[in-house]
Amino acid sequence: MTPAQLSRTIRHTLPRVLPEDADAGSLCARVRVVVESPPRRGEGDYATGAAFQVAAACGRPAREVAEALAARLVRDEDAVSVAEVVGGGFVNVTLTSAARIELVRTLAGSRPVDSDSVDRTSASAPAGLLAPLTPGPTDDPGRDIPRWAAVTGEDPEALAVRTERSSSLFRVQYAHARICSLLRNGRRLGLRPEPESAGSLGAAGARLLALLADRARITAPGPLARHLDAVAGAFAAFHDAGEPLPRGEQKPGAAHRGRLALAEATGAVLAGGLSQLGVTAPVHL
């Protein structure tokens, strides 16, 4: 379930949680349902503040509307595992393992290129999610830095300091190249991405997956660049929380295949976003 799908689900659910004397159709038609990654308001894959708008329109307490919405989502929607009311009326939604697996599979519909295939495209990717991919083996700072600076307003000289601390562009491109390296090294170990093993990703993985799913609604160049930077940071945290590849004598397992699947999905989203901005998605960096 993507944020867009959950938004539609919430819009259809809201009329059923209002009092019988409320003009539910009219009230809910004026509500703009926004679903996004929880901005530090408890746990969950997604969060929405739609209950505040409905409550203001019908004169009911926001938390009361939120509690009714949360209960209905858990009861009626197979993809929703937990719906928790946070604060005065935000609803944080956690997906089931099956829904997460399907989301990883969808996002990884176009894999990031690697050294064995530098001409792969995203023709099979979900419409509107990934732009056509044209990644090459390496980046082109002379072209990439001015383009990134133009959409972010960042200082080109600062972006030219190619470290993760100094340059948001480098962070995003490095994350993509790192994922390509993980996939190559995984193949050498006989380890392939397996979305079916991505149901339990931990808190860092859930946070990353929610950001990846949120990508489809972000189209403006500036917000897109900032979103890609957030994805790169979330991927670094996910990688540090549980490395996708086994270390030392550790045997490859289902957990590694699931983490690789999420890494693959991350690479596809990063490559598509960079391509949309006219910036290279390097395989090596």
Side-chain angles (χ1 to χ4, degrees), residues 1-38:
M1 176 177 279
T2 66
Q5 291 168 335
L6 180 57
S7 177
R8 289 193 294 269
T9 296
I10 291 172
R11 179 171 293 282
H12 292 148
T13 302
L14 281 171
R16 302 200 296 270
V17 305
L18 294 179
E20 293 183 1
D21 59 347
D23 185 358
S26 176
L27 290 175
C28 294
R30 301 196 299 268
V31 173
R32 180 172 177 264
V33 179
V34 176
V35 174
E36 57 189 353
S37 301

Side-chain angles (χ1 to χ4, degrees), residues 127-151:
L129 179 59
L130 304 178
L133 307 184
T134 54
T138 58
D139 61 333
D140 184 355
R143 186 191 69 170
D144 293 342
I145 289 175
R147 292 186 177 184
W148 188 269
V151 300

Side-chain angles (χ1 to χ4, degrees), residues 14-16 45 60 111-112 135 152 184 192 212 220 256:
L14 281 171
R16 302 200 296 270
D45 297 312
R60 310 288 292 188
R111 299 181 181 182
T152 63
R184 288 194 302 272
R192 298 271 180 177
L212 297 180
H256 296 108

Side-chain angles (χ1 to χ4, degrees), residues 201-285:
L201 297 169
R207 168 68 177 170
L208 173 59
L209 182 57
L211 282 172
L212 297 180
D214 207 24
R215 158 70 181 93
R217 71 176 181 85
I218 302 172
T219 56
L224 174 56
R226 290 189 290 273
H227 185 77
L228 295 178
D229 190 17
V231 168
F235 175 76
F238 164 71
H239 183 280
D240 292 345
E243 295 189 24
L245 297 181
R247 293 175 62 90
E249 299 300 318
Q250 186 180 22
K251 292 184 179 180
H256 296 108
R257 292 190 289 273
R259 292 175 198 145
L260 267 185
L262 184 55
E264 179 182 58
T266 305
V269 169
L270 289 175
L274 287 168
S275 177
Q276 185 172 330
L277 294 173
V279 175
T280 58
V283 173
H284 302 283
L285 197 60

Side-chain angles (χ1 to χ4, degrees), residues 36-48 63 82-94 100 202-204 206-208 210:
E36 57 189 353
S37 301
R40 299 184 180 180
R41 289 193 288 269
E43 300 297 329
D45 297 312
Y46 304 130
T48 182
R63 188 172 183 89
V82 177
E84 176 190 14
V85 179
V86 181
F90 291 99
V91 177
N92 285 10
V93 174
T94 300
R100 286 178 174 175
R207 168 68 177 170
L208 173 59

